[in-house]
Amino acid sequence: MSHEKTRAAAFPVDRNDAELIRGAHPPHWRNPDPTGPYNLVVIGAGPAGLTAAREAASLGAKVALIERSLIGGVCINVGCIPSKAVIRTARLYADMRDAGNFGGDTPKHVRVDFQRAMTRMRQIRQRISRADSAESLASGGIDLYFGEARFSGPDSILAAGQTLHFRKALVATGAHARLPTIPGLTEAGYLSNETMFDLAECPRRLLVIGGGQLGCEMAQAFCLFGANVILAQRDPMFLPGEERDAAQILSDALAREGVEVRLNTEVVAVRTVGGKKLADLVRDEETTTISVDEIVTGIGRSPNVDGLDLENAGVVYDANGVKVDDYLRTTNPRIYAAGDVCLEHKFTHTAEATARIVVRNALFFGRGKLSELVVPWCTYTDPEIAHVGLYPTEARQNGVPVKTYTVLMHDVARALTDGEEEGFVKIHVREGSDRILGATVVAAHAGEMINAVSLAIRSGMGLHALADVIHPFPMQAQGIKMAADAYRRTRLTSFWKQLAGRWLAWSRR
Ligand SMILES: Cc1cc2nc3c(=O)[nH]c(=O)nc-3n(C[C@H](O)[C@H](O)[C@H](O)COP(=O)(O)OP(=O)(O)OC[C@H]3O[C@@H](n4cnc5c(N)ncnc54)[C@H](O)[C@@H]3O)c2cc1C
């Protein structure tokens, strides 16, 4: 049984968690008695399931929502929210140590209070989870069931001993941390996102396995809390998939802050000696052994498909999750899927966006398509790395010629005033046009900045139009406008330049 399934039992760590459970899985909750078929039965109350259930119910559908653990899913309980809250406090400590660079005095003793940081995280998590408490869902007209759901037929689901019949169903069961197959790791013990936010003390020495988003975010945060962090990544770069120079800036930032960066490195064995975890790391056939207090794994996420008896409903799935078509319909036309259980890009915003498509397609003859979504994403390190649309390599593979407009953040006034000048804005257009193919932003507020480009792509605006947008001055998003200005300057052809020059010469007479 995965830890995630048992979280309701594993909590509470403190009174914030106790409060959270009262809202997200009330101990004495009485499941409703099902009456007649539902328009929509949703399995999983994470971002995808909650969005679908709320939206369908608000449109008058008879909706059931089944959750085996805590309402809010990974995002609120063991994902986005706790990680971002912890990162914020870690940054505070980084800023304190950096006070000298801002004309301030660095405090003599920056004492890290890890427990207070974790308490703050729990307070925030509890506050955010209130919005989707069991009570509020029920009062929103949703039949909420707690229990493990599984399909008993093509139009029925079994949950907590009751059979729920449906016209349409949504599988929104999310994903769980993938465990690396490293001999000795399970015996030695490890942390994943499902357990690391329960830590009472900051480990002195920490090995993070995996240099994807989770690994990089957590390695940086724990390093800023004062842990001695070793980040091991099998690939030659962090954030595989991102543009190389973006990943390089992150790699340099991590190293500068004190993370021991081990690229091209595989963790091949773990064992415990005298209370310490010893890990064997191999690079270029050379083995080194390190001793750490804790090991965090962040090598990816696997869809939650086990135990759903999808075979009973004729729903096809594999190791990548439930198979869906572009309309998010599974191989059973009554059943749809949304979120991490079926998507390659496992994010809260994609979970919510796909859930909205499902409600329209499943209940109202909609024809919303997954392929039409414009999906940005962001890695919340310092600097942040955000991306939307195509990467230049993808475009070229599809035979699309690419022209890139680049602005370095050290040329953006606000980045300088704020001492956040690392990074760049890169906007890729189809060569010979202003059609935006994609963009990567590496900056302190890249996640906010990328939204202008997402909006432009979504609404079919070209880069030319972004040059017309007036920004309050000074803003870091000016980097986007500067890239658009660079494009516009290329449109000033020599013919128009000559004409303008002649006109101005004439008007001086
Ligand atoms: C550490 C970490 C940080 C993250 N940070 C970000 C971020 O900053 N931004 C971002 O966009 N994304 C982030 N993510 C990803 C984000 O959390 C997920 O993409 C999102 O939660 C997916 O939503 P979902 O509804 O598809 O699934 P989940 O949130 O996984 O919810 C699925 C729900 O289904 C329930 N369930 C599963 N099986 C059954 C069953 N058989 N019966 C009943 N219930 C069941 C589960 O208990 C769970 O509550 C992060 C993830 C992690 C791990």
Side-chain angles (χ1 to χ4, degrees), residues 91-383:
R91 278 254 57 86
L92 171 75
Y93 287 116
D95 287 346
M96 282 201 251
R97 292 183 197 111
D98 205 21
N101 282 332
F102 293 86
D105 278 339
T106 305
K108 286 221 168 36
H109 303 290
V110 179
R111 197 183 68 81
V112 173
D113 192 335
F114 187 74
Q115 284 181 10
R116 269 178 78 188
M118 296 306 254
T119 301
R120 173 182 178 273
M121 175 273 287
R122 289 194 185 92
Q123 276 165 352
I124 291 166
R125 178 165 68 180
Q126 190 270 116
R127 265 181 68 189
I128 293 177
S129 88
R130 268 188 240 155
D132 285 312
S133 69
E135 289 295 347
S136 88
L137 291 170
S139 62
I142 295 166
D143 279 0
L144 177 62
Y145 296 80
F146 283 105
E148 183 96 22
R150 62 186 177 83
F151 286 93
S152 48
D155 60 0
S156 60
I157 291 171
L158 211 61
Q162 313 205 64
T163 300
L164 280 62
H165 293 276
F166 60 81
R167 297 274 180 254
K168 296 286 164 54
L170 170 62
V171 181
T173 50
H176 60 275
R178 195 181 306 147
L179 177 64
T181 47
I182 300 169
L185 181 63
T186 309
E187 296 75 8
Y190 62 92
L191 299 167
S192 72
N193 70 294
E194 285 151 20
T195 44
M196 76 183 163
F197 300 111
D198 292 343
L199 274 175
E201 277 175 34
C202 182
R204 280 193 333 108
R205 271 179 76 77
L206 175 70
L207 168 64
V208 178
I209 305 175
Q213 287 188 312
L214 167 67
C216 289
E217 287 180 8
M218 289 301 103
Q220 191 175 49
F222 276 96
C223 173
L224 297 177
F225 278 124
N228 195 330
V229 179
I230 300 115
L231 176 54
Q233 161 81 332
R234 186 191 287 175
D235 296 325
M237 271 292 166
F238 296 124
L239 303 182
E242 288 302 345
E243 295 189 34
R244 297 298 73 202
D245 41 3
Q248 186 62 51
I249 289 178
L250 176 58
S251 189
D252 294 345
L254 290 171
R256 216 175 27 247
E257 272 160 348
V259 174
E260 207 176 306
V261 169
R262 303 275 189 111
L263 294 165
N264 294 307
T265 299
E266 188 138 8
V267 182
V268 294
V270 175
R271 60 196 175 281
T272 317
V273 176
K276 292 274 176 202
K277 298 176 208 297
L278 300 188
D280 293 335
L281 276 51
V282 174
R283 185 192 162 144
D284 295 338
E285 294 176 13
E286 200 176 300
T287 305
T288 49
T289 301
I290 57 164
S291 164
V292 293
D293 303 302
E294 295 287 359
I295 299 173
V296 166
T297 70
I299 61 154
R301 311 204 32 86
S302 300
N304 292 329
V305 286
D306 289 348
L308 281 168
D309 288 349
L310 290 164
E311 298 79 1
N312 290 343
V315 172
V316 170
Y317 65 95
D318 64 15
N320 294 321
V322 170
K323 298 276 135 212
V324 288
D325 64 15
D326 207 14
Y327 301 99
L328 292 156
R329 210 169 33 190
T330 70
T331 43
N332 176 338
R334 285 171 181 261
I335 303 175
Y336 290 71
D340 282 9
V341 75
C342 64
L343 298 180
E344 181 195 347
H345 296 302
K346 297 187 183 350
F347 302 113
T348 290
H349 45 283
T350 42
E352 292 177 351
T354 49
R356 278 190 201 103
I357 292 181
V358 166
V359 171
R360 267 183 284 140
N361 290 359
L363 303 183
F364 300 103
F365 308 104
R367 303 294 287 164
K369 287 184 181 172
L370 177 60
S371 57
E372 285 172 357
L373 293 179
V374 176
V375 179
W377 54 80
C378 182
T379 301
Y380 296 89
T381 43
D382 183 31

